[in-house]
Amino acid sequence: MTKLHIQNLNSNAALLKSLSAEDENSELFDFATSKAKVDRAGSDFFQLGDVELAFRNTNEQQWSFFNTKDDQTLSASAIKVNRKWDIQDDDILFSATVTNSSPNDIEVGGLGFAMIFNQIFTDNSLDESHNNSSFIDPYIGQDAGYLQVARLNGQKPTLLVVNAGNTPFEAYRPLSDDKTQKDVHFEGFYEWTAFSKAYFDTNWNGKRQWNTPSSFVLKAGDSKAFALKFIATTTPDKISEVLAQNKIPSASSFPRLCSSR
């Protein structure tokens, strides 16, 4: 296992500027976007720690959509979110507690956590991309789901994101309202979506999804906690081992010689 380090964004303890671990040169490699050659400051851009919501009163049909990118306090939202980053041994735990502050029961049909890692190759040399950027590979496997972030050069560290409580990986939804310029060097950011019924009913036009879109009801005044664990390991070949240590199933293939008769 490899120790992770965090640095908050300005004075906002809910957002991260960097999420880093030691690389092959004993220097800190940042999985977040501090090394990207684009300006991502301000409320036009999602950061690690941002949360996206969709909900409605249980007696209504229309969904309402909110996110902490636009308003960190969710001042106009009946659902409030308390976010926290904690160091847990070598790992980092991100927790989000959602609370229904209204007098009505609410159906939450969208809950997602921005996965903002440096997959931006814009204006990089080949060496800069190899050394500073990553590939992101999601397994949308509900409670057994995980996200792996591996450096382009294949060297350590490698990052895993796993469910640490009540946070299934139901969908991997693009964050289309992030203003980072998209081109051949950057395809956009995504979120770890734990509940997706609202998006299925609206943006996705009822199209069949990998997992059945779901929601949950939060009664007036009630709260529910969700958590993701960020784990650093060495190289990608150690991922199956780390998943097993965290009680997440994985399958490994091996070569086999086939002959025809």
Side-chain angles (χ1 to χ4, degrees):
M1 302 290 284
T2 303
K3 186 176 181 61
L4 275 169
H5 306 263
I6 58 174
Q7 181 182 355
N8 293 112
L9 182 66
N10 300 325
S11 59
N12 191 337
L15 301 180
L16 291 190
K17 178 181 180 180
S18 67
L19 175 68
S20 56
E22 194 173 279
D23 66 11
E24 72 277 12
N25 298 314
S26 299
E27 298 176 350
L28 288 180
F29 172 82
D30 183 20
F31 290 102
T33 58
S34 66
K35 292 289 184 70
K37 292 184 176 180
V38 294
D39 182 10
R40 300 195 66 257
S43 60
D44 285 337
F45 307 96
F46 284 100
Q47 309 292 345
L48 279 169
D50 273 320
V51 174
E52 301 76 55
L53 288 165
F55 58 85
R56 63 188 176 188
N57 290 343
T58 53
N59 61 351
E60 296 179 349
Q61 293 297 315
Q62 187 170 346
W63 296 101
S64 297
F65 299 87
F66 296 88
N67 66 71
T68 57
K69 172 182 74 67
D70 296 334
D71 178 6
Q72 288 293 311
T73 65
L74 297 173
S75 57
S77 169
I79 296 287
K80 306 300 181 185
V81 184
N82 181 38
R83 294 164 287 160
K84 187 178 180 183
W85 294 92
D86 288 304
I87 298 172
Q88 191 178 78
D89 299 322
D90 289 340
D91 307 326
I92 300 296
L93 191 71
F94 175 72
S95 59
T97 301
V98 300
T99 300
N100 180 357
S101 65
S102 80
N104 306 306
D105 293 350
I106 285 178
E107 180 185 7
V108 179
L111 178 62
F113 306 95
M115 296 287 102
I116 309 301
F117 304 112
N118 188 12
Q119 59 197 92
I120 304 170
F121 307 151
T122 306
D123 293 333
N124 283 353
S125 67
L126 185 60
D127 284 343
E128 286 171 332
S129 288
H130 280 175
N131 292 327
N132 299 331
S133 303
S134 301
F135 284 128
I136 294 110
D137 190 12
Y139 170 52
I140 312 170
Q142 296 284 31
D143 288 335
Y146 63 92
L147 190 77
Q148 69 181 51
V149 185
R151 297 176 65 191
L152 265 66
N153 63 11
Q155 300 297 314
K156 73 172 188 177
T158 300
L159 181 71
L160 284 174
V161 186
V162 301
N163 176 5
N166 296 324
T167 315
F169 203 171
E170 185 170 287
Y172 193 50
R173 189 176 73 91
L175 296 172
S176 56
D177 52 339
D178 183 280
K179 299 302 182 183
T180 308
Q181 183 176 345
K182 300 176 183 66
D183 54 26
V184 295
H185 305 104
F186 175 62
E187 66 174 12
F189 293 114
Y190 289 74
E191 68 166 22
W192 176 302
T193 311
F195 298 91
S196 61
K197 186 175 187 296
Y199 310 117
F200 176 77
D201 289 347
T202 55
N203 308 60
W204 300 344
N205 298 316
K207 297 291 193 304
R208 182 181 176 184
Q209 301 298 307
W210 186 262
N211 295 306
T212 301
S214 69
S215 63
F216 68 96
V217 172
L218 199 60
K219 293 188 176 297
D222 280 0
S223 298
K224 188 170 183 177
F226 303 88
L228 293 170
K229 184 190 287 187
F230 293 73
I231 307 165
T233 184
T234 52
T235 47
D237 61 309
K238 301 296 184 183
I239 288 174
S240 293
E241 179 182 325
V242 176
L243 290 173
Q245 291 169 356
N246 285 271
K247 298 181 171 54
I248 296 174
S250 66
S252 299
S253 61
F254 60 92
R256 180 179 179 183
L257 179 64
C258 296
S259 60
S260 57
R261 293 187 177 182

